[in-house]
Amino acid sequence: MANKLLRGTVQLSSASFISKILGFIYMIPLGMMIGSTGNALYRYAYGPYAIMISLSTMGIPLAISKMISKYNELERQDVVQRIFKSGILLMLASGFTAFLVLYMLSPLMARIVVNDSSSGNSLESVIFNIKLVSFALIIVPPMSFLRGYFQGHQTMGPPAVSTVVEQIARVIFILAGVFVTIKILHLSVTAAVGVATFAAFIGAIFGIAVLIKQVWKRRDHIFRPVVTREGSPDISIREIFKEIIQHSIPFVVMGMSLPLYQNIDSYSINRILMHIGFKQHEAEDINGVISYAQVLVLLPVSITTGLSVSIIPNMTKSFVSKNYKLMRKQMNQSFLVLMTIMLPAAFGMFALAEPLYYIMFPNATPEMGGGLLKVYAPAGLLIAIYGVTTSILQTVNQQKKAIAGLAAGLIVKLALNFILPNYYPESGFIIATYFGYLTSLTVNIIVINRNIGINLKNIKFRLISLIASTAIMVLVVSALKSLLIALFFPKATYVNELIVVIIGVLAGILAFGGVLYALNFTRIKKYIKMKQ
């Protein structure tokens, strides 16, 4: 059983990691083909789609997984079958409703970001792309349900394969379709972005096909007649739906935070900048560049997402047994792991922002992009800490406080989006994001401290050594970058910037690792002796 659980965890984690890497890699060639204005159009469609996906699936895979596991343990196969039949109907209805809502609201949403008489993306092109991406909503909720169903049976292979196949099909369709549209058929960027948004539907078709095939192979087991055990309480469809929703709501908070922050920017930047004197195509250029910077910032954050989810079971056990000392130890360990990953990643990106943005998105206003990425990069640390603290709140049954913290942060973010750009037109939206996440994080920390307490004394030295190592790394990398550009690579070409990034990354790893080892040398030596 332990081996099966470990194998399943590895399968799901690997599938999630591969999917995220593919989701990042395709943005580079796509950005080269459609530019920052095309990327803004892509985000107008994909942003609301991400929110509708979160609402229509509502953490269903994890919720269904928990319920199936529970009733399998209780040997209530009759309830498991009822969950399957009623749940799939619920998700089909949810998906079709989400599709109709997004499809019907597309004209209203398009008018928020563009208007008929402006330069840049047209109103019709935004409506067209939002309508295209909405079709995927019909497929994704039932697909999510089936993944949760298999996970509940401790069968992780089908959902893992489905996740990877969905992303591969989507990425291939995007890159091949956009290339043919622009380079061979010589059609507009609007048509190319339409192909890219419709790829969500194509990917979902491939993903659900894998799961349906596995359901069909197991049809005799899934649909076999089951008699309710004598003396077992009857559980109605209404009770099943209620339990599904109760289990799923906690997972919505984490899933919704990033899409909501991104959509606040996507749907407010244009109007705000046009109000203070920018033309629409200039505003859309800034909008697209900020979204590209988000892609880079969120890459290391995605690596820590697994940490956010993995700490829930162990901390939940400690909370149930009221072992708060162990909870604090587990929390400190998670925080240390997070800081070890995110501190060098976020501030390394800060030090190499200009050449890094150039090699990733050379056709998307690299002069502006490098500067904005420099401002945005440290926010990755804040976002990652927020994700972990939100997970901790779930373990101590403080989901309502987590939602309140998210709402407070979003209100601060939205308010500052209208104020700060008057003083910092391009970076004001990013600074507003810092304040929004700081607000939510402050609420989370206060609630955690009240419930289980926060004590960082045991990890104080290691935190200080991580911060010191990161600071020295930034100084070394920044100085080396300036020296390389001044003496050897004064002209900004793709090859020159790539060499600067490679040398800078290697120097950063050596500097960070070397200083961290030197600061902890005595402790490491003592640990080795103790083990021997």
Side-chain angles (χ1 to χ4, degrees), residues 163-410:
T163 300
V164 175
V165 167
E166 179 195 4
Q167 190 69 302
I168 289 173
R170 176 171 165 263
V171 169
I172 290 173
F173 190 85
I174 287 175
L175 297 182
V178 171
F179 180 82
V180 169
T181 303
I182 291 178
K183 303 296 183 181
I184 297 176
L185 300 179
H186 304 291
L187 298 178
S188 65
V189 170
T190 297
V193 175
V195 171
T197 52
F198 191 67
F201 178 77
I202 300 298
I205 290 289
F206 276 85
I208 200 170
V210 171
L211 296 167
I212 290 173
K213 181 182 177 182
Q214 294 301 319
V215 169
W216 182 250
K217 284 172 68 174
R218 295 166 170 81
R219 63 189 182 279
D220 293 336
H221 172 72
I222 293 173
F223 301 111
R224 75 181 190 278
V226 176
V227 179
T228 305
R229 289 173 58 191
E230 192 175 337
S232 299
D234 184 46
I235 299 175
S236 67
I237 298 293
R238 182 180 176 184
E239 287 174 310
I240 290 172
F241 283 169
K242 184 179 178 181
E243 192 169 355
I244 289 173
I245 292 169
Q246 284 176 339
H247 279 299
S248 64
I249 285 175
F251 299 103
V252 177
V253 182
M254 281 184 63
M256 287 285 285
S257 60
L258 279 173
L260 285 170
Y261 271 90
Q262 289 170 332
N263 275 276
I264 286 175
D265 279 341
S266 295
Y267 277 79
S268 68
I269 285 175
N270 292 358
R271 292 288 181 182
I272 292 167
L273 290 179
M274 288 161 65
H275 180 73
I276 60 177
F278 285 76
K279 293 180 180 178
Q280 183 178 303
H281 73 273
E282 294 171 332
E284 286 192 296
D285 204 24
I286 295 170
N287 202 338
V289 168
I290 288 175
S291 71
Y292 277 133
Q294 284 175 347
V295 170
L296 291 170
V297 169
L298 294 178
L299 179 63
V301 175
S302 67
I303 297 171
T304 65
T305 303
L307 175 66
S308 300
V309 176
S310 64
I311 65 174
I312 293 176
N314 288 331
M315 289 195 69
T316 300
K317 288 179 184 177
S318 303
F319 178 69
V320 170
S321 61
K322 296 185 179 180
N323 191 343
Y324 299 122
K325 185 178 179 181
L326 180 58
M327 280 193 80
R328 285 191 288 271
K329 184 179 178 181
Q330 291 166 336
M331 183 169 61
N332 287 350
Q333 288 172 341
S334 302
F335 189 55
L336 266 180
V337 172
L338 175 108
M339 296 294 278
T340 305
I341 296 169
M342 286 305 305
L343 268 173
F347 287 93
M349 194 177 291
F350 167 83
L352 292 169
E354 297 87 351
L356 182 61
Y357 186 93
Y358 189 98
I359 65 170
M360 293 299 182
F361 309 112
N363 296 343
T365 324
E367 301 82 10
M368 182 201 308
L372 291 181
L373 179 59
K374 203 174 191 71
V375 178
Y376 215 143
L381 179 64
L382 205 59
I383 296 168
I385 296 173
Y386 168 74
V388 170
T389 56
T390 301
S391 292
I392 294 168
L393 288 185
Q394 290 185 31
T395 67
V396 296
N397 296 325
Q398 293 294 326
Q399 294 91 339
K400 290 181 180 179
K401 300 286 176 62
I403 294 170
L406 174 61
L410 290 171

Side-chain angles (χ1 to χ4, degrees), residues 80-117:
V80 171
Q81 282 199 8
R82 210 177 299 170
I83 289 170
F84 181 85
K85 293 171 185 177
S86 57
I88 200 74
L89 289 174
L90 172 66
M91 288 296 96
L92 284 167
S94 172
F96 192 72
T97 302
F99 155 71
L100 284 178
V101 169
L102 189 58
Y103 192 93
M104 299 297 289
L105 288 178
S106 57
L108 177 63
M109 300 181 81
R111 288 189 178 89
I112 296 174
V113 287
V114 299
N115 56 57
D116 279 319
S117 59

Side-chain angles (χ1 to χ4, degrees), residues 54 77 146 166 248 263 301 403 414 432 461 491 500 516 524:
S54 296
Q77 297 305 312
L146 290 176
E166 179 195 4
S248 64
N263 275 276
V301 175
I403 294 170
L414 187 59
F461 179 81
K491 189 176 180 181
V500 171
L516 190 62
I524 293 168

